[in-house]
């Protein structure tokens, strides 16, 4: 349905949206109407991986002007609480977040957003790359929480979009070897394409068998495991696989209650860390993209105009390709 074009508030910008990626969470809300405690109670606009062009700025905005191309960070603090003061604004309980009930997302022609969370894109960074900064940010935040550094041996569990961005960022941060596991051979090939050193296709092995396969291809147990599936057996494999004294970061979200070999992790001093989205990652991602230190273009496998959004969502739901991108500006054919 068409809506009136919104007016930007004092510290907001009005955007003509350009590229919006579809995330697994968007599909989940569409299909199930909830993720954990976040329940869709009234109609909600989806979309939170996005870029667009500024068409109007509020009176308080000085760093952006009409015509600027920007990437949008979807999480905006509503108040300066203890989490904002400590630089971890992603943990603020009152955070606004695009396409998380009850907050509308930006899969539309026109959208207004807090100007401080819109980041100007350099000329050599495309709208599509700008939209990919959101999933890329999950990889940056996860690899930072994991402590990836020069020479790290890293195990990434799951080769979906989030697994792939973790491969890209782990390699960028100096990982010497990255091994990826998945059920899908085609997704594992994509992992190879974006820089994975080793791939392991999992069929029906036990978690311990998966862990020993990871160890045998790496030649050692990884110091760091980034678990991107949320599947119980994969979390178990992650604990078994991680070297004593290492770190397991849980990125994928599955069922609320999971049975894991916690004593195995405890007695081997394996640190288990969680992540919630990201914070302070857009400037880092833009710098990496502008300097061509990373290439995210292979992630986009399908493109649809906004009018074919349903088809795009069906494609994502079937698990085809990697990242499905919607084009919201009917007048612009550039990526």
């Amino acid at each position: 349905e068409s809506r009136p074009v919104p007016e930007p508030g004092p510290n907001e910008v009005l955007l003509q949206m350009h590229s919006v990626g579809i995330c697994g969470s968007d599909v989940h809300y569409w299909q199930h109407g909830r993720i954990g405690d976040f329940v869709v109670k009234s109609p909600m606009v989806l979309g939170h991986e996005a870029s667009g062009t500024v068409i109007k700025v509020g009176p308080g905005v000085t760093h952006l002007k009409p015509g600027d191309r920007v990437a949008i960070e979807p999480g905006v603090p509503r108040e300066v609480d203890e989490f904002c003061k400590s630089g971890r604004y992603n943990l603020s309980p009152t955070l606004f977040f695009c396409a998380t009930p009850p907050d509308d997302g930006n899969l539309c022609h026109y959208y207004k957003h807090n100007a401080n969370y819109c980041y100007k894109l350099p000329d050599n960074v495309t709208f599509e790359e700008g939209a990919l900064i959101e999933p890329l940010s999950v990889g940056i935040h996860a690899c930072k929480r994991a402590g990836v550094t020069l020479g790290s041996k890293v195990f990434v569990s799951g080769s979906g979009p989030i697994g792939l961005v973790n491969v890209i960022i782990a390699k960028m941060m100096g990982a010497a070897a990255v091994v990826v596991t998945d059920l899908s051979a085609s997704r594992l090939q994509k992992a190879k394409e974006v820089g994975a050193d080793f791939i392991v296709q999992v069929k029906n092995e036990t978690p311990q068998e998966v862990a020993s396969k990871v160890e045998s291809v790496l030649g050692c147990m990884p110091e760091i495991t980034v678990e991107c599936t949320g599947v119980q057996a994969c979390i178990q494999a992650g604990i078994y696989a991680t070297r004593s004294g290492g770190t397991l970061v849980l990125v994928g979200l599955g069922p609320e209650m999971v049975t894991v070999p916690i004593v195995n992790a405890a007695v081997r001093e394996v640190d288990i860390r969680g992540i919630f989205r990201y914070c302070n990652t857009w400037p880092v991602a833009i710098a990496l993209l502008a300097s061509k230190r990373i290439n995210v273009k292979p992630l986009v496998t399908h493109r649809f105009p906004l009018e074919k959004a349903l088809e795009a969502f069906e494609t994502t739901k079937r698990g085809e390709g990697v990242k499905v991108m919607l084009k919201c500006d009917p007048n612009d054919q550039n990526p």
Side-chain angles (χ1 to χ4, degrees), residues 8-10 12-14 54-62 64-66 68 115:
E12 291 181 328
V13 289
L14 176 63
V54 176
I55 51 178
K56 204 169 190 181
V57 300
V61 178
T62 54
L64 292 171
K65 62 186 187 304
D68 283 346

Side-chain angles (χ1 to χ4, degrees), residues 58-85:
V61 178
T62 54
H63 70 290
L64 292 171
K65 62 186 187 304
D68 283 346
R69 300 157 61 255
V70 298
I72 300 164
E73 179 172 2
V76 179
R78 284 188 168 97
E79 57 186 320
V80 181
D81 58 15
E82 57 181 311
F83 298 105
C84 293
K85 287 177 183 173

Side-chain angles (χ1 to χ4, degrees), residues 128-149:
E128 225 162 63
E129 289 174 307
L132 288 167
I133 291 174
E134 196 277 343
L136 199 53
S137 288
V138 177
I140 294 170
H141 193 56
C143 287
K144 277 186 176 174
R145 294 267 297 152
V148 178
T149 187

Side-chain angles (χ1 to χ4, degrees), residues 260-277:
V260 294
I262 201 77
V263 174
N264 178 292
V267 298
R268 297 193 302 109
E269 296 191 6
V270 171
D271 292 347
I272 299 175
R273 295 187 146 201
I275 68 155
F276 187 61
R277 298 171 181 154

